[in-house]
C-alpha cells in the first residue's frame, strides 16, 4: 500500500484550511468545523472485546468507517483493505477518500490560524482581501491541493477518475470554478464514494477474510485429527510390542531354575 500513502501525500502536503463564501451554499466554516464527524452505519458493528484474531464473528468485525480510520484489528487494517482494493482495480476510491479527508484537515488548520485576524475570510476567492500576504499564500496552497484532487480523481479522463454521477461531478467542478474552496464542496463526491465502497468493496473484503479464516481453521482441524490418529496408532503399536516383550520375559523367567 505504498501507493496509497505516496499518492495522498503527493496530493495533500502540509496544513492549510479555508472557509466557505457567503455567496456559496456551503455552511459557515465555524459551524462546519465544529461539527462532530458524522458516523456512518455499516454492515457490522465493532466491539473491541471481541477483536481477537482467534474469535472472528460478525460482532468482532469493524465498520467500513473504522477501517478507513485504521481502527480495525487483526486482518481488518487499512493496509489490507488498500491491498484488496488494488487487487479489485478500484483503489482510486480509497485514495480519493483519504485525500479529501486530509484536505478537510488542511482547511481546518488554515481556518483556525486566520479566524482571529481575518474573521470575514471564507474559503472563497472573493474573500482573499481580508488575508495578509502570508495567509494568502497559505490559501493559494490550499487551492493547489484542491486542483490536484480534481485533476487526479474528478476531471473526465483523469488518471484515477472516480465513478461519479454527472450531477455530482458537475456540481463539484462548478463550485470550485466559482472560487469556492470549502471542503464541503467535496462532500457529495465523498459520500458517493463511501456508499460505493460500503455496498461493494467492503462486504467482499469482509467475506474474503472470513473465507480465509474458515479455510485455515479447516486445515488446522484436519492436521490436528491427523496428528491424533498418528499418535493413537503409535500408542497402539507400542502396546502390542510391550505385550509381546512382556510374554517373552515371562517365559524366560519361568525357565530360569
Amino acid at each position: 500500500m505504498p501507493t496509497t500513502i505516496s499518492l495522498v501525500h503527493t496530493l495533500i502536503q502540509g496544513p492549510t484550511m479555508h472557509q466557505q463564501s457567503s455567496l456559496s451554499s456551503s455552511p459557515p466554516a465555524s459551524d462546519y468545523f465544529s461539527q462532530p464527524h458524522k458516523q456512518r452505519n455499516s454492515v457490522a458493528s465493532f466491539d473491541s472485546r471481541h477483536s481477537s484474531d482467534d474469535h472472528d464473528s460478525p460482532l468482532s468485525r469493524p465498520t467500513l468507517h473504522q477501517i478507513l480510520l485504521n481502527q480495525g484489528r487483526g486482518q481488518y487494517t487499512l493496509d489490507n483493505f488498500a491491498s484488496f482494493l488494488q487487487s479489485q482495480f478500484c483503489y482510486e476510491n480509497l485514495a480519493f477518500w483519504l485525500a479529501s479527508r486530509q484536505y478537510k484537515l488542511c482547511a481546518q488548520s488554515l481556518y483556525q490560524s486566520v479566524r482571529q485576524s481575518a474573521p470575514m475570510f471564507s474559503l472563497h476567492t472573493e474573500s482573499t482581501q481580508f488575508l495578509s500576504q502570508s495567509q494568502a499564500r497559505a490559501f493559494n496552497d490550499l487551492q493547489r491541493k484542491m486542483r490536484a484532487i480534481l485533476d487526479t480523481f474528478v476531471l473526465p479522463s483523469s488518471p484515477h477518475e472516480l465513478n461519479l454521477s454527472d450531477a455530482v461531478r458537475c456540481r463539484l467542478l462548478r463550485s470550485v470554478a466559482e472560487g469556492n474552496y470549502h471542503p464541503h464542496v467535496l462532500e457529495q463526491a465523498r459520500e458517493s464514494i463511501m456508499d460505493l465502497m460500503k455496498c461493494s468493496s467492503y462486504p467482499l473484503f469482509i467475506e474474503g477474510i472470513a473465507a480465509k479464516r474458515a479455510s485455515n481453521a479447516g486445515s488446522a482441524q484436519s492436521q490436528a485429527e491427523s496428528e491424533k490418529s498418528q499418535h493413537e496408532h503409535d500408542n497402539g503399536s507400542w502396546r502390542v510390542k510391550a505385550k509381546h516383550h512382556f510374554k517373552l520375559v515371562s517365559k524366560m523367567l519361568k525357565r530360569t531354575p
Side-chain angles (χ1 to χ4, degrees), residues 130 150 159 192:
F130 301 110
L150 300 184
S192 177

Side-chain angles (χ1 to χ4, degrees), residues 16-34:
T16 346
M17 137 134 212
H18 76 324
Q19 183 188 354
Q20 126 279 354
S21 165
S22 58
L23 303 178
S24 74
S25 58
S26 301
S30 56
D31 295 339
Y32 182 81
F33 292 116
S34 63

